[in-house]
């Protein structure tokens, strides 16, 4: 076994690998960019080496810098994590040429699976079913358009060197093909330095089901069962579970055998994932192989009781697989959701910001959090917007869902937009609970999942007011400890008055209602009289950490309330409400944005300008394509008008809120 390894990655995966290293007594070496100097993975590692600037191309994609750091640190091996250079055969070769061990597949295996078209041809030869389509070398647009007509619509354009949903476009008819082809090629070039694509039939009622496979250097191959990854946005997964609610025992056996056949066909070594697309007719087809560990590997670990990173290390060290196929357990049910800095209501547009508050559930054998950040860290424009992975385990699917619902209700992130409220809606949706989770899930249930939330209910307002009172009383008690006169009325937080009990006033702005609510309170120590909209309510409350037990009007509630400064996040079982406390003695300034300007919602690089100064544009018309957080985003005109000025050029980097266009309305 190795005594020291370098992890050529960042964030939650680097932290995850470090965790196993510490358990096995292996020294862990981290690498970091300028942007990650104080990152969590740097703090957890035994030592850390700087490898370049904040852009991945200047650091985490600089193979020579990573290998130099590994040699200088005295590491025996390099673990590539996932993303960045993890599926780069040239990097694997360079690692081995330097005398270090690459903790992953052989370079030849990476090459064999690195081209989706070549991989499909190889799988066909091995007898693994593949999706009908075009996987050849001819990349002429006219030729591809003709091939698309032969494959039939709808179809998918997919980057040959792709992964993570990048360079993928769904095309519904021939009129869309060429624009979508251009976009897929451009995004593939930006992400992988290769614009080649393949075409494949879009399977109806599709399920995305993958099998975890492992091979060693002794001729052993196994799978560790499947993961259902069908719930996706922008062709990227946001929820994964095992076992799949769609498979029966016979399909699981046939797909598992096909996955092992695929691994054996390329003499695979280490951890890999065989990804299948499964139609509503229950036919399955090979899509691709990811020659690395996957983001969603924790659900497999939960149901098998195995540490997949440890398996990787042992195989790379020349040991045989720890278990044979018949020895691998598969018990219970596990689900993972990805907590991301993004705005689901704006097509899941990634965002940036500081984690002013990051509250997670209590961790136990049933609830796990994998993350590369802590409270106070920032999500930057340079890397993926994922904040954390929340993984739960249950004895069966129903109990796992209940634990996931509870865990999300105890998770609060303040400081930036996240998909957490969206995930709460998703895991409470009847179709999800029933296991009806194909890749069209979000589109099919869009009306429900993206329904505009209602104004904060009375229980949320009462909970926020109780938190404000509780915090004020704690502060008063703290001051009292350091006061020479404990009977001083100046430290009584009940708003006592000479001729009667005083009352305190709280004002909460509710963004959903775009209105403020005024609450008057009397009482102390958890017994209060509230007046809300001229309605009197008597409330008893008791606190435990960030949870309050409320009793009023013959009703009882347990509610989470997380506070950062004047921001209150009220956590109910199936939703959450963000309220802003307003000082009743303060005044607000109007924040007016000029109507004739369009500003950038986030930092990024301008990829393509679609209009020119003087052009007339219609509301919703695409104006430019912007790249941010490794994805392309099309910016549309907010209204009809005439472009007067364009404030940038293609290739420019723009900051958030920078003016992009100046225009006048028709």
């Amino acid at each position: 076994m190795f005594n020291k390894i370098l992890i050529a990655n960042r964030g939650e995966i680097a932290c995850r690998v470090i965790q196993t290293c510490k358990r096995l007594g292996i020294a862990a070496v981290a690498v970091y960019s300028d942007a990650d100097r104080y990152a969590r993975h740097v703090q957890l590692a035994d030592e850390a080496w700087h490898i370049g600037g904040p852009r991945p191309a200047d650091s985490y994609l600089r193979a020579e810098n990573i290998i130099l750091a590994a040699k200088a640190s005295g590491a025996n091996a390099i673990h590539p994590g996932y993303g960045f250079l993890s599926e780069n055969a040239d990097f694997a070769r360079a690692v081995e040429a330097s005398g270090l061990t690459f903790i992953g597949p052989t370079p030849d295996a990476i090459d064999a699976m690195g081209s989706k078209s070549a991989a499909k041809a190889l799988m066909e030869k091995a007898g693994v079913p593949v999706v009908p389509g075009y996987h050849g070398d001819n990349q002429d647009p006219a030729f591809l358009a003709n091939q698309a007509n032969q494959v039939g619509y709808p179809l998918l354009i997919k980057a040959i060197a792709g992964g993570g949903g990048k360079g993928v476009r769904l095309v519904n008819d021939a009129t869309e093909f060429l624009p979508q082809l251009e976009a897929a090629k451009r995004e593939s070039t930006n992400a992988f330095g290769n614009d080649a694509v393949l075409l494949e039939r879009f399977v109806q009622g599709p399920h995305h089901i993958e099998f975890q496979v492992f091979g060693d250097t002794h001729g052993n191959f196994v799978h560790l069962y499947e993961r259902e990854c069908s719930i996706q946005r922008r062709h990227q997964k946001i929820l994964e579970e095992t076992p799949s609610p769609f498979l029966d025992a016979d399909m699981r056996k046939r797909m598992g055998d096909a996955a092992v056949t695929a691994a054996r066909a390329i003499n695979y070594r280490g951890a890999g994932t065989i990804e299948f697309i499964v139609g509503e007719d229950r036919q399955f087809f090979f899509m691709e192989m990811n020659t690395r560990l996957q983001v969603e590997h924790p659900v497999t670990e939960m149901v098998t009781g195995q540490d997949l990173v440890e398996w990787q290390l042992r195989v790379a060290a020349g040991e045989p697989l720890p278990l044979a196929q018949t020895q691998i357990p598969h018990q219970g049910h596990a689900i993972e959701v990805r907590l991301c800095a993004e705005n689901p209501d704006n097509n899941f547009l990634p965002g940036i910001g500081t984690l002013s508050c990051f509250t997670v559930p209590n961790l136990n054998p049933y609830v796990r959090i994998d993350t590369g950040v802590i409270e106070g860290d920032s999500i930057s424009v340079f890397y993926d917007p994922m904040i954390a992975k929340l993984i739960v385990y249950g004895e069966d699917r129903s109990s796992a869902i209940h634990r996931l619902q509870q865990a999300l209700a105890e998770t609060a992130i303040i400081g930036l937009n996240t998909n957490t409220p969206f995930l709460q809606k998703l895991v409470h949706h009847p179709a999800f609970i029933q296991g009806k989770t194909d890749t069209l899930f979000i589109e099919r249930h869009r009306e429900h999942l993206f329904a505009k939330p209602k104004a904060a209910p009375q229980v949320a307002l009462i909970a926020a007011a109780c938190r404000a009172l509780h915090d004020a009383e704690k502060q008063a008690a703290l001051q009292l400890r350091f006061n020479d006169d404990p009977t001083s009325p100046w430290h009584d937080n009940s708003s006592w008055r000479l001729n009667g009990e005083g009352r305190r006033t709280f004002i909460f702005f509710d963004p959903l209602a775009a209105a403020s609510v005024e609450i008057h309170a009397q009482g102390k120590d958890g017994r209060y009289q509230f007046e809300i909209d001229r309605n009197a309510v008597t409330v008893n409350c008791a606190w435990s950490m960030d949870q309050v037990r409320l009793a009023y009007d013959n009703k009882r509630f347990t509610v989470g309330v997380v506070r950062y400064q004047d921001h209150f996040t009220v956590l109910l079982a199936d939703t959450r409400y963000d309220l802003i406390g307003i000082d009743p003695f303060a005044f607000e300034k109007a924040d007016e944005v000029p109507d004739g300007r369009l500003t950038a919602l986030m930092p990024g690089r301008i990829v393509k300008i679609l209009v020119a100064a003087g052009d007339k544009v219609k509301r919703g018309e695409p104006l430019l394509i912007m790249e941010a957080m490794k994805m392309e985003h099309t910016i549309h005109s907010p209204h009809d008008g005439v472009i007067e000025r364009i404030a940038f050029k293609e290739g420019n980097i723009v900051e958030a809120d920078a003016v992009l266009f100046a225009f006048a309305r028709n």
Side-chain angles (χ1 to χ4, degrees), residues 2-6 21 25-29 46-47:
F2 311 108
N3 57 42
K4 180 185 282 192
I5 70 168
L6 180 140
C21 288
I26 300 170
V29 181
D46 295 289
E47 57 186 276

Side-chain angles (χ1 to χ4, degrees), residues 63 146 273 292 367 419 424 433 462 481 512 522 582 644:
N146 182 57
T273 307
R292 53 176 167 78
V367 180
N419 65 342
Q424 274 191 281
I433 293 171
I462 288 174
R481 289 177 56 192
L512 298 177
Q522 292 177 303
I582 298 175
E644 290 189 338

Side-chain angles (χ1 to χ4, degrees), residues 40-101:
R40 182 170 182 257
H41 74 276
V42 173
Q43 306 303 317
L44 290 178
D46 295 289
E47 57 186 276
W49 293 69
H50 178 252
I51 54 170
R55 295 176 64 245
D58 298 329
S59 50
Y60 298 107
L61 293 175
R62 294 287 298 275
E64 65 278 13
N65 289 10
I66 292 169
I67 293 172
L68 283 173
K71 298 284 283 185
S73 69
N76 314 115
I78 292 180
H79 192 300
Y82 37 74
F84 296 132
L85 294 170
S86 62
E87 295 181 278
N88 187 305
D90 290 338
F91 176 60
R93 288 190 181 92
V95 170
E96 295 187 347
S98 70
L100 301 170
T101 299

Side-chain angles (χ1 to χ4, degrees), residues 374-446:
I374 60 173
E375 192 169 277
D377 284 350
S378 294
I379 304 299
S380 80
V381 68
F382 299 107
Y383 311 117
D384 191 280
M386 190 169 70
I387 298 168
K389 303 182 305 193
L390 170 62
I391 311 102
V392 299
Y393 175 84
E395 295 76 11
D396 52 31
R397 188 170 189 268
S398 178
S399 59
I401 289 174
H402 286 308
R403 286 198 175 105
L404 179 58
Q405 291 170 341
Q406 180 64 32
L408 282 169
E410 296 173 3
T411 301
I413 301 170
I414 298 175
L416 69 175
N417 283 331
T418 76
N419 65 342
T420 313
F422 176 83
L423 292 172
Q424 274 191 281
K425 288 183 185 178
L426 192 157
V427 302
H428 281 86
H429 196 284
F432 171 73
I433 293 171
Q434 294 164 16
K436 300 176 181 178
T437 57
D438 64 25
T439 60
L440 302 177
F441 183 92
I442 290 178
E443 287 305 313
R444 182 179 298 113
H445 303 294
R446 176 169 288 275

